[in-house]
Amino acid sequence: MNLLTIKNGTNKWNLQMNHVKYIISDSSMNYTLLQAIRLFTSKDKSENRTENNISTKMFINEKEIEFKNNMFIEISEMYSLNEDKKLTTKSLMLKYLEMKLQNQDYFDTISTIDILLNSLSEEVNDESMLKIMFNGANYKQLIKMLSPYYEDELQKDEFDLTRDELILFQLDLVEYISNHNSKYDNIFVFGKLDNLSDKIFQKINKIENVKLMIFTNYYNDLMNVQNIALLQDKIIDLADMEQIYYDLSQKSLQTYTLQEVEQMTINYLQQIYTHKTHDIYQELDHFSIK
């Protein structure tokens, strides 16, 4: 496993991970860590951060990560198709289209467009003192001309799609980007996603060549315990079960084996952090005042 370290001010988080880390938390530290990652990807400045020298630094195996050599993608259950299609700097669609149009399959077509534009400029310039010139048809110029939209038999927007469909759409774009990346050292995907369905777990497990950090309130039996970190007052990485075993042995009056501690940890997650559905009429009797 790789050791991912995130530092922000006096806060420091260590995560052992390869492909995915599920960060389970119902505390405010969840937001603090998520904001630290967002700050690393942001170019925004503030007087407070400048005066107090506050920034986020990230490391893999103690080697500092340079932002320009890595891609960061935030996914969300609150994802807006209508906003993302504006193709702003952090747009997931923009990252996908940039990767797509740099595919060799489109080189000949883009070259033909460039030739046609030059031909058009020659025609417009004929017998005129005012001349025009196109700046060339590269993928960046073409993206400025695009108006992307979602279509599944019919054109749809975010109000036509379920929560799972919006999450899976984002993961589909991430999968394409990861499969065609040759530019970046790492692709980091992070975001807050609660109550994940089996389909979403299957999709996450299918995506390769990325490092996913999924912030969630809930445990699911489809999660490998090695891929989980509990974020309470501090971060507890379940990939380091030997450390948990050691810490427990210092605090508990009973003696357990390493295997027993691992099973106890899973039982704890199932009891405390598993999402439960409720029916008020089936449960009100438990709160009887008689």
Side-chain angles (χ1 to χ4, degrees):
M1 283 191 170
N2 295 302
L3 177 64
L4 175 66
T5 302
I6 302 167
K7 294 181 180 180
N8 175 256
T10 59
N11 293 313
K12 178 181 177 181
W13 302 271
N14 286 322
L15 296 168
Q16 295 185 44
M17 64 179 296
N18 285 327
H19 165 241
V20 61
K21 203 71 176 183
Y22 297 102
I23 302 167
I24 300 176
S25 177
D26 54 9
S27 78
S28 60
M29 289 301 293
N30 193 334
Y31 177 78
T32 303
L33 175 52
L34 190 54
Q35 283 292 84
I37 299 171
R38 287 173 177 150
L39 178 58
F40 185 77
T41 70
S42 175
K43 295 180 180 179
D44 294 338
K45 306 290 183 182
S46 79
E47 183 179 347
N48 176 68
R49 291 196 298 278
T50 301
E51 287 291 325
N52 294 287
N53 195 27
I54 297 172
S55 63
T56 296
K57 294 185 178 181
M58 297 181 66
F59 305 81
I60 291 183
N61 300 325
E62 300 183 351
K63 181 179 179 182
E64 187 166 357
I65 296 170
E66 292 189 44
F67 176 72
K68 64 180 181 180
N69 296 331
N70 297 270
M71 178 182 283
F72 285 79
I73 299 171
E74 181 170 4
I75 58 177
S76 171
E77 56 191 16
M78 304 300 292
Y79 174 76
S80 170
L81 275 173
N82 295 344
E83 286 299 315
D84 204 33
K85 71 181 184 180
K86 294 177 183 177
L87 304 183
T88 55
T89 306
K90 292 189 176 182
S91 164
L92 176 54
M93 289 187 195
L94 175 62
K95 291 178 172 65
Y96 166 81
L97 289 169
E98 286 180 337
M99 197 70 71
K100 185 96 171 178
L101 289 178
Q102 290 181 79
N103 191 309
Q104 289 185 349
D105 293 344
Y106 304 107
F107 283 4
D108 288 345
T109 302
I110 293 174
S111 177
T112 300
I113 293 172
D114 192 42
I115 292 169
L116 290 172
L117 289 174
N118 285 325
S119 177
L120 176 60
S121 67
E122 289 175 3
E123 290 184 33
V124 173
N125 290 339
D126 189 35
E127 298 181 357
S128 173
M129 295 180 65
L130 177 63
K131 308 295 184 182
I132 66 167
M133 176 178 68
F134 288 100
N135 293 323
N138 57 46
Y139 75 93
K140 289 186 176 181
Q141 295 293 330
L142 291 175
I143 285 174
K144 294 177 181 178
M145 302 166 61
L146 299 179
S147 297
Y149 61 94
Y150 182 103
E151 182 177 280
D152 178 13
E153 296 183 359
L154 295 172
Q155 181 271 331
K156 296 179 181 179
D157 66 17
E158 61 200 66
F159 303 107
D160 301 309
L161 301 176
T162 66
R163 172 184 175 276
D164 271 20
E165 286 172 335
L166 284 169
I167 294 172
L168 289 168
F169 173 70
Q170 294 172 81
L171 292 173
D172 282 340
L173 300 188
V174 167
E175 183 177 29
Y176 181 90
I177 291 169
S178 68
N179 287 341
H180 294 83
N181 170 52
S182 60
K183 178 179 179 181
Y184 298 100
D185 295 340
N186 301 282
I187 296 176
F188 292 92
V189 181
F190 65 97
K192 183 81 164 66
L193 301 174
D194 286 328
N195 197 20
L196 302 176
S197 67
D198 289 358
K199 276 190 175 181
I200 293 173
F201 275 111
Q202 291 165 5
K203 188 66 177 180
I204 287 173
N205 290 332
K206 184 181 175 186
I207 300 174
E208 299 178 343
N209 307 315
V210 295
K211 289 178 172 58
L212 288 130
M213 291 174 280
I214 306 299
F215 293 77
T216 182
N217 287 355
Y218 302 115
Y219 167 76
N220 186 296
D221 286 332
L222 292 175
M223 295 177 182
N224 186 319
V225 70
Q226 295 273 318
N227 296 334
I228 298 172
L230 272 179
L231 184 53
Q232 298 174 337
D233 292 335
K234 63 178 183 178
I235 200 154
I236 303 167
D237 194 336
L238 304 192
D240 192 356
M241 193 58 64
E242 290 185 357
Q243 184 63 49
I244 297 171
Y245 169 79
Y246 174 79
D247 291 343
L248 181 63
S249 68
Q250 300 300 304
K251 297 179 180 181
S252 176
L253 298 176
Q254 299 189 52
T255 302
Y256 301 101
T257 66
L258 181 62
Q259 290 74 22
E260 286 173 333
V261 171
E262 182 169 346
Q263 187 57 54
M264 290 161 59
T265 304
I266 293 172
N267 294 344
Y268 172 80
L269 292 169
Q270 291 173 333
Q271 180 66 31
I272 304 299
Y273 287 103
T274 299
H275 177 71
K276 300 176 180 67
T277 57
H278 299 278
D279 185 325
I280 185 173
Y281 298 109
Q282 292 181 357
E283 298 180 13
L284 274 180
D285 284 342
H286 298 301
F287 301 90
S288 173
I289 59 175
K290 292 183 178 181

